[in-house]
């Protein structure tokens, strides 16, 4: 079992100017089952995830303390026996609350720039055949982002870096973190570069497979070759992101989509007149390079610093190398999940021009609530991985169960707003330039259907981390994702003729919901011989999830009624969103949704903290 050595608490400085606050370092973890103190997080009264061990310093020559680009390194354990359980729990709550706040804020900024990017694409190029050609080419970077940044390398590498940090904190000879980087990064970069070159060379075949009915495959081939450059950049960016999050650095990884979308927007406006839609493809490559550049300074500081060896730590940390089987299991799952996009665009390519564009715009808007809901898991996944590295499966289980409820509440609120106010959202966001009122009507209809699968998308994103958080390969997620894709393909092929793009969106929603149900069933507590470390109590989880689902149904109806009362899209959107949020919050409190009251307390804690810091 990995043991985190004790260190003296770092002083808490309320008046810091870099957005970080030092918190007490994690104490040595006691054997599983002996330390029951929870660590609160946003959306829950108490957390079950232990904090990370003492990580590297914030810069060259420093031994401890947060860096200027991060929230604090360590989350204290608030269990009994420390003599300061209350203080440690409070510091832990502040750490995770602020980490979630930083990550969510940057995610919102990236999502807003994503909307600006899509607005620019719609305004400059509309929803015709040229845009369809670019979107087919954009399929490759979208898949790469999932594989290499979001659900792929992060899930495989964060447990490995967590183990290396635990061994570094115990004072093992050499530097386990640098050794891990030296053993993995060069080989992965070679693989990323080879893949990018292969995609560029095979671009005509890629386009033919993705969209055989495309009227202008030549334009799509050109765009595919330009976007292929991003594969190398995405791979390096995903590696940096996983390493930094394991070090509890969230600012630089959270800013990558701000940099990415900035590159695309700039390229479209600078090159759009001469290159046409190819400018957007070039922007994808530029944005990928910016993703790497925005993280390199922070990662260099982590690798250039070394926490001094600490004696007296008990227990043993066993090295878990990054296994090829683990990487293969994670990447194949992510690839299978992303193949939903392939199925959708393959089916939509046989429909009239603009169908792929309508589906794309609908997805981009509807997925914003899902992206925000998964920010909770982004912050707590390293906590779960470290808990399992320490052998404390009970804490990991409790943390995952709370994440499921909290992320579901976030996405259900957004889903209600999307369904209730879809026409107003699309009109305000896209209806200008080459994007017409008929495009707005078609896109909003598709978006409402697509939104029905958002809860399933969120549950899949949350649950799959549990299968790989122990750093061991598991093939069950790949099998159930394949079942979901099969359902999506069969239903989509049947529904596309009578219902067009709406039938494709409905197939997507059904397939991902099937996958979520199977993933949740696979984590049931009765599977004692399961290769993964987290086993959930499925029936209590389903009971708890039924409450926010009921609240979301009522809130969506209230929001749809409110938004339809006003002719102005701005007023209608405001009325609908406020109605959904207000009704959902009131019903959640009335139904006793887990974490609803504590979420309010967490927001108050962060607000008081930030206000107090500004007053100094």
């Amino acid at each position: 079992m990995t043991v985190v050595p004790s260190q003296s608490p770092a002083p808490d400085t309320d008046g810091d100017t870099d957005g970080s606050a030092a918190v007490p370092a994690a104490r040595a973890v006691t054997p599983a089952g002996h330390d029951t103190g929870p660590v609160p997080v946003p959306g829950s009264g108490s957390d079950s995830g232990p904090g990370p061990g003492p990580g590297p310093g914030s810069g060259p020559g420093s031994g401890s303390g947060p860096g200027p680009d991060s929230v604090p390194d360590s989350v204290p354990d608030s269990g009994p026996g420390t003599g300061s359980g209350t203080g440690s729990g409070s510091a832990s709550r502040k750490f995770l609350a602020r980490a979630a706040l930083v990550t969510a804020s940057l995610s919102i900024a990236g999502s807003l720039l994503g909307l600006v990017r899509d607005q620019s694409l719609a305004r400059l190029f509309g929803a015709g055949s040229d845009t369809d050609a670019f979107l087919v080419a954009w399929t490759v970077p979208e898949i790469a982002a999932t594989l290499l940044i979001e659900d792929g390398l992060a899930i495989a590498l964060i447990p490995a870096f967590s183990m290396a940090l635990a061994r570094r904190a115990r004072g093992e000879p050499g530097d386990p973190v640098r050794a891990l980087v030296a053993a993995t990064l060069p080989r992965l970069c070679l693989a990323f570069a080879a893949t990018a070159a292969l995609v560029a060379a095979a671009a005509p075949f890629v386009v033919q497979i993705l969209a055989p009915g495309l009227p202008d495959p030549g334009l799509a081939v050109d765009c595919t070759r330009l976007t292929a450059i991003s594969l190398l950049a995405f791979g390096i960016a995903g590696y940096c992101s996983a390493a930094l999050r394991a070090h509890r650095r969230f600012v630089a990884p959270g800013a990558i989509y701000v940099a990415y979308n900035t590159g695309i927007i700039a390229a479209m406006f600078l090159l759009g007149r001469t290159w046409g839609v190819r400018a957007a493809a070039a922007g994808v490559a530029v944005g990928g390079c910016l993703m790497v550049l925005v993280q390199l300074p922070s990662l260099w500081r982590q690798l250039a610093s070394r926490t001094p060896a600490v004696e007296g730590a008990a227990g043993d940390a066993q090295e878990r190398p990054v296994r090829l089987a683990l990487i293969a299991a994670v990447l194949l799952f992510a690839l299978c999940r992303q193949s939903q996009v392939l199925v959708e665009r393959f089916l939509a390519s046989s429909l009239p021009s603009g169908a792929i564009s309508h589906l794309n715009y609908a997805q981009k808007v509807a997925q914003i609530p899902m992206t925000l809901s998964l920010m909770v898991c982004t912050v707590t996944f390293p906590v779960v991985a470290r808990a399992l590295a320490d052998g404390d499966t009970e804490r990991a289980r409790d943390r995952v169960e709370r994440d499921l409820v909290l992320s579901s509440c976030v996405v259900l609120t957004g889903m209600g707003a999307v369904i209730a106010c879809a026409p107003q959202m699309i009109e305000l966001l896209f209806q200008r330039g080459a994007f017409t009122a008929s495009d707005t009507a078609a896109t909003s209809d598709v978006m409402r259907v697509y939104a029905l699968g958002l809860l399933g998308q969120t549950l899949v994103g949350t649950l799959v981390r549990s299968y790989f958080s122990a750093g061991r390969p598991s093939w069950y997620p790949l099998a159930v994702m394949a079942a979901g894709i099969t359902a999506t393909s069969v239903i989509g092929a049947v529904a596309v003729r009578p219902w067009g793009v709406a039938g494709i969106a409905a197939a997507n929603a059904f397939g991902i919901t099937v996958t979520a149900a199977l993933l949740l069933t696979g984590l049931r507590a009765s599977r004692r011989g399961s290769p993964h470390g987290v086993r959930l109590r499925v029936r209590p989880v389903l009971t708890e999830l039924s409450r926010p689902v009921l609240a979301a149904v009522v809130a969506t109806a209230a929001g749809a009624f409110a938004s339809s009362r006003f002719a102005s899209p701005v007023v209608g959107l405001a009325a609908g969103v406020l109605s959904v949020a207000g009704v959902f919050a009131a019903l959640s409190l009335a139904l006793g949704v887990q974490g609803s009251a504590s979420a309010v307390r967490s927001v108050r804690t962060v607000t008081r903290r930030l206000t107090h810091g500004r007053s100094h």
Side-chain angles (χ1 to χ4, degrees), residues 142 337-338 340-341 344-345 358-371 411 414-415 418-419 422 442-458 488 501-513:
E142 284 181 319
R337 181 181 180 184
Q338 194 63 19
Q340 286 181 311
V341 178
E344 292 167 4
R345 291 183 179 170
H358 297 150
L359 187 59
N360 171 75
Y361 293 130
Q363 288 177 337
K364 291 297 187 295
V365 177
Q367 285 181 347
I368 292 176
M370 180 196 70
T371 302
V411 78
M415 184 183 78
V418 166
I419 295 175
T443 303
S444 59
D445 289 343
V446 174
M447 189 167 73
R448 280 174 163 160
V449 178
Y450 182 84
L452 297 176
L454 289 180
L455 178 59
Q457 296 277 6
T458 297
T488 299
V501 183
I504 299 175
N508 181 305
F510 181 84
I512 199 65
T513 303

Side-chain angles (χ1 to χ4, degrees), residues 84 126 217 269 384 395 398:
S84 60
F269 280 100
V384 175
R395 286 189 154 187
D398 291 344

Side-chain angles (χ1 to χ4, degrees), residues 4-13 21-27 51-54 64-66 72-78 82 84-95 609:
V4 182
S6 300
Q7 283 190 351
S8 300
D12 189 354
T13 55
V23 297
R27 66 169 173 81
S64 64
D73 275 340
S74 35
V75 183
D77 195 335
S78 59
T82 65
S84 60
T86 302
S88 297
S90 176
S92 171
R93 183 187 300 112
K94 291 174 183 177
F95 165 77
R609 177 73 173 180

Side-chain angles (χ1 to χ4, degrees), residues 60 87 103 137 299 530 576:
T103 305
L299 182 60
S530 175

